[in-house]
Amino acid sequence: MARGALTVVGTGIRIGVQLTPESRAAVDAADELLYVNAEPLGDHWLASLHPRARSLASLYRPGVSREQVYEAIVEAILEPVRAGARICAAFYGHPGVFVRPSHEAVARARAEGHDARMLPAVSAEDCLFADLGVDPALDGCASYDATGFLARPRPVDTTAALVLWQVAAVLEPHAVAAGSHGGNLDVLAARLLELYSPQHEVVLYEASPFPAAPALVERLPLAALPEARPTPQATLYLPPAGTGAAA
Ligand SMILES: C[S@@+](CC[C@H](N)C(=O)[O-])C[C@H]1O[C@@H](n2cnc3c(N)ncnc32)[C@H](O)[C@@H]1O
């Protein structure tokens, strides 16, 4: 097998303005750029970064299990690496934050004897801290995948902030079609109501992908969460509950 190279980069959340110079250099040095993007309007920019840029978005299909999609992405990235190419794989946000195929591609490439590395980038949580004015150092901050938070019950320190990712797809085992998100929020709300009061403010947050546009910030009492219709990219933020009861 030829020896190839893989660099995994993140493109940040805001289209066109959060790619670090270090990551840009990695894109330029690659033979091919493969990318997974959240915002279709960002495709044009990503495609313009490299003469050989290819989207892997078609690997996400409604009804296909997440595991199958992730495996297909890893193999699509590794195929040209195994042929000896220098591949740059770009994921939106930070490539190592709530992204399994990026870590798996790096691990598998290394295990097979290729050079592989991941570069840091701007994640949705970084944007949340900036847009909502949250300093995680003040009270602490726990971050979970919303489905994982329900699947593995554990002590929750309600005096710290809580960030729940992939909230619109909570308890959805498959890739879901656009517009069909948010169906299991009642289950998530029931668990959170064991920990917080019904009046506790929660925030559905979506950082804007557009440099000039503000973030979407929907503040609501926890009791109203089951009726909310979060956007597919929303993250749920719960501020600290002051004097919290750990459960
Ligand atoms: C598969 S993870 C990818 C995270 C990404 N790698 C990052 O660093 O932000 C997708 C989840 O990230 C969060 N997310 C992605 N884009 C976001 C945005 N624009 N605003 C808020 N949260 C976002 C949501 O919780 C979403 O369900």
Side-chain angles (χ1 to χ4, degrees):
M1 193 190 301
R3 186 160 182 221
L6 171 64
T7 304
V8 173
V9 303
T11 53
I13 299 296
R14 291 198 200 284
I15 297 168
V17 296
Q18 288 180 338
L19 184 71
T20 66
E22 181 185 39
S23 296
R24 176 71 222 216
V27 171
D28 291 342
D31 297 318
E32 191 177 10
L33 170 66
L34 306 180
Y35 60 88
V36 177
N37 191 22
E39 175 53 61
L41 289 172
D43 277 6
H44 182 67
W45 167 65
L46 279 158
S48 74
L49 291 178
H50 197 283
R52 293 190 63 206
R54 180 157 55 95
S55 169
L56 300 181
S58 63
L59 299 175
Y60 281 92
R61 292 194 308 277
V64 176
S65 78
R66 286 219 182 85
E67 301 306 325
Q68 287 173 300
V69 172
Y70 294 161
E71 180 61 21
I73 291 174
V74 172
E75 284 303 309
I77 292 170
L78 289 182
E79 193 184 315
V81 174
R82 290 177 182 133
R86 287 165 304 166
I87 295 302
C88 184
F91 293 80
Y92 72 94
H94 185 303
V97 173
F98 288 81
V99 187
R100 263 189 279 159
S102 56
H103 287 291
E104 181 59 28
V106 168
R108 232 182 262 183
R110 284 182 182 155
E112 292 177 14
H114 308 290
D115 292 327
R117 62 182 179 150
M118 178 184 288
L119 301 178
V122 178
S123 74
E125 193 175 64
D126 296 314
C127 298
L128 182 152
F129 292 148
D131 285 332
L132 300 187
V134 172
D135 182 344
L138 283 183
D139 296 296
C141 180
S143 220
Y144 297 99
D145 169 71
T147 300
F149 178 78
L150 291 175
R152 271 182 55 208
R154 63 199 107 198
V156 176
D157 178 2
T158 58
T159 66
L162 180 64
V163 177
L164 295 177
W165 298 65
Q166 312 210 90
V167 71
V170 63
L171 297 175
E172 296 281 358
H174 299 109
V176 286
S180 63
H181 290 69
N184 298 312
L185 285 178
D186 52 340
V187 184
L188 179 60
R191 168 62 182 142
L192 291 171
L193 282 166
E194 294 171 6
L195 303 163
Y196 300 87
S197 77
Q199 295 77 35
H200 190 71
E201 181 184 83
V202 305
V203 184
L204 282 166
Y205 165 77
E206 182 178 343
S208 173
F210 307 112
L216 292 177
V217 179
E218 184 184 357
R219 297 177 190 274
L220 60 159
L222 175 55
L225 185 61
E227 284 75 52
R229 288 291 165 262
T231 60
Q233 295 305 329
T235 294
L236 185 67
Y237 173 73
L238 286 87
T243 58

